Amino acid sequence: MGAFRTIDDLDVAGRRVLLRGDLNVPMADGRVSDTTRLDRLAPTVSELAGKGARVIVLSHFGRPKGEPNPEFSLKPVVPALEAALGGRTVAFAPDCIGAAASAVTEALGDGEVALLENLRFHPGEEANDPGFARALAALGELYVNDAFSAAHRAHASTEAIAHILPAAAGRAMQAELEALSKALDDPERPLAALVGGAKVSSKIAVLENLAARVDAIVIGGAMANTFLHARGIDVAASLMEPDFVGTARDVEAAASEAGCALLLPEDAVVAAALAPGVETRTVPIDAVPAGAMILDVGPASVAALKAALGGWRTLVWNGPLGAFETPPFDAGTVAAARAAAARTKAGQLLTVAGGGDTVAALAHAGVAGDFSYVSTAGGAFLEWLEGKALPGVEALRAEG
Ligand code: ADP
Ligand code: MG
């Protein structure tokens, strides 16, 4: 992928810098309940402020549908943002454009920080409206985007504005782009992908893109059931998508055409129902009893995966290998996660993982910190796995 600009390419001292963050944080009882996104943005804010910039933070929050709605105000996020910044004061503007915004941004001194009200209170944001982008751009002189998780959307604050002001990636965006690039654009090979989760139907484009680019795909989770059925294996009462058996066959054909090995589970942990404390059995994959559901990969599958891991240099992972939220069906995912983490710690493997449930599964396994990179970007991470160009990233590419 072409080079993109970073903060190193901007002279920010004394300048008003519009910083697009993702402050779409979970709230409980009017307070931020998970500060991960604030913590990821904080280093960029601190670096800019430390260099004497006047930092103006922009973000969306929830889905207010283009009109002001106090339920979706960013104001309650201010104290948590101040805490994430080590106690630095953050001014708040009750609108993100116009006089209410400029009154706050004009009052900023060098090294000071302001947060503007929810971008999505204006319909121009999601419409990528040039007039709205110009109104945002009028508040600053430089633009920095640190919201990879919003980069798959061509919105005024992620796309149009980057063509109006000198634009660069913030440090979190930069780290994400560098990690993803090392994993898929310019990987050390052999490169493998671990794809699991519930449905083939939600990951068709991911599977197609990976089949063309990686050396091996290991399929787990309920999505493996559709592939197993396509190979003529009886998956009994397991989750399976009959309408996507053809898709599974197409992916198998594309993989074999591209010289990509496709590995399916050899055994499974089955039960009569997905419930805690239910009686389980481990069976060979071609011996799933009538009425039983496949809820995790079995020990032979995990052993095969571990053996294969030893030969890989790069691993991309999206999707749990079983119904990990309900023990003991977390065992396969946890064992695979720990094995990948150990190889990473030993310097033998570059590991990049992402996806809402995948991040939760790695945290559950206690190894999220041991992977080379864990993306919390959700939709943007999946679109990147699909090989799509992300508008918010494309807009940061260095010209020429
Ligand atoms: P991500 O959010 O990481 O992209 P997905 O949403 O695709 O992952 O899939 C995660 C879900 O898949 C989890 O809720 C998990 O319980 C479910 N799942 C995985 N394997 C199975 C299985 N064998 N049977 C039922 N559900 C499964
Ligand atoms: Mg999910």
Side-chain angles (χ1 to χ4, degrees):
M1 69 180 206
F4 54 90
R5 288 173 300 250
T6 73
I7 292 173
D8 298 322
D9 300 308
L10 303 179
D11 183 8
V12 302
R15 305 285 199 86
R16 280 171 290 128
V17 178
L18 292 169
L19 172 61
R20 177 56 157 100
D22 181 355
L23 272 51
N24 190 28
V25 288
M27 307 281 289
D29 303 323
R31 307 185 65 179
V32 176
S33 57
D34 178 349
T35 62
T36 308
R37 285 182 164 161
L38 305 181
D39 298 335
R40 288 217 170 176
L41 180 66
T44 299
V45 177
S46 298
E47 180 178 344
L48 290 170
K51 287 178 169 167
R54 304 167 179 210
V55 187
I56 303 163
V57 181
L58 311 173
S59 181
H60 69 290
F61 185 70
R63 299 181 185 275
K65 303 197 175 114
E67 54 186 59
N69 179 341
E71 209 187 309
F72 297 106
S73 174
L74 273 168
K75 192 157 190 232
V77 177
V78 169
L81 180 57
E82 288 178 328
L85 293 171
R88 193 186 285 276
T89 301
V90 175
F92 182 75
D95 198 354
C96 61
I97 55 169
S102 59
V104 171
T105 58
E106 295 292 334
L108 284 179
D110 293 356
E112 293 184 343
V113 181
L115 172 63
L116 308 187
E117 183 56 286
N118 195 345
L119 293 157
R120 291 189 184 167
F121 284 2
H122 294 270
E125 164 62 357
E126 289 172 86
N128 201 19
D129 176 62
F132 179 71
R134 279 195 297 273
L136 287 174
L139 298 169
E141 296 145 282
L142 300 169
Y143 169 77
V144 172
N145 188 349
D146 219 15
F148 180 81
S149 51
H152 56 315
R153 303 191 172 110
H155 290 174
S157 70
T158 60
E159 209 278 329
I161 192 173
H163 300 293
I164 303 173
L165 295 176
R171 296 304 181 199
M173 172 77 89
Q174 181 183 348
E176 182 114 20
L177 294 177
E178 286 171 356
L180 301 189
S181 175
K182 261 195 245 168
L184 266 197
D185 296 321
D186 189 21
E188 258 196 67
R189 290 182 183 267
L191 159 65
L194 198 50
V195 187
K199 292 176 173 175
V200 171
S201 56
S202 66
K203 305 229 169 123
I204 299 171
V206 169
L207 291 164
E208 285 172 349
N209 184 45
L210 290 175
R213 294 168 77 165
V214 310
D215 303 304
I217 304 183
V218 178
I219 298 190
M223 84 152 59
N225 302 339
T226 305
F227 281 86
L228 292 166
H229 177 90
R231 284 189 185 177
I233 290 167
D234 179 9
V235 297
S238 308
L239 268 186
M240 198 275 287
E241 292 178 286
D243 293 348
F244 291 88
V245 174
T247 303
R249 283 199 187 105
D250 292 346
V251 170
E252 282 239 33
S256 111
E257 180 93 346
C260 163
L262 197 134
L263 283 75
L264 290 175
E266 296 171 16
D267 62 347
V269 179
V270 304
L274 176 52
V278 74
E279 192 187 321
T280 67
R281 278 179 67 191
T282 298
V283 297
I285 206 64
D286 56 2
V288 177
M293 296 175 78
I294 298 172
L295 294 168
D296 194 12
V297 294
S301 308
V302 172
L305 174 59
K306 280 189 186 170
L309 261 181
W312 298 333
R313 299 293 292 167
T314 307
L315 175 67
V316 178
W317 186 349
N318 169 258
L321 302 184
F324 76 100
E325 300 94 334
T326 313
F329 308 114
D330 58 339
T333 303
V334 167
R338 292 189 178 154
R343 294 288 297 168
T344 308
K345 281 217 273 197
Q348 302 295 316
L349 185 68
L350 180 103
T351 39
V352 172
D357 295 294
T358 306
V359 174
L362 295 183
H364 171 72
V367 298
D370 297 331
F371 273 54
S372 308
Y373 193 81
V374 176
S375 173
T376 54
F381 177 81
L382 280 178
E383 288 201 18
W384 170 79
L385 272 190
E386 291 172 1
K388 285 192 188 152
L390 309 184
V393 172
E394 293 308 309
L396 302 177
R397 296 236 188 265
E399 269 122 54

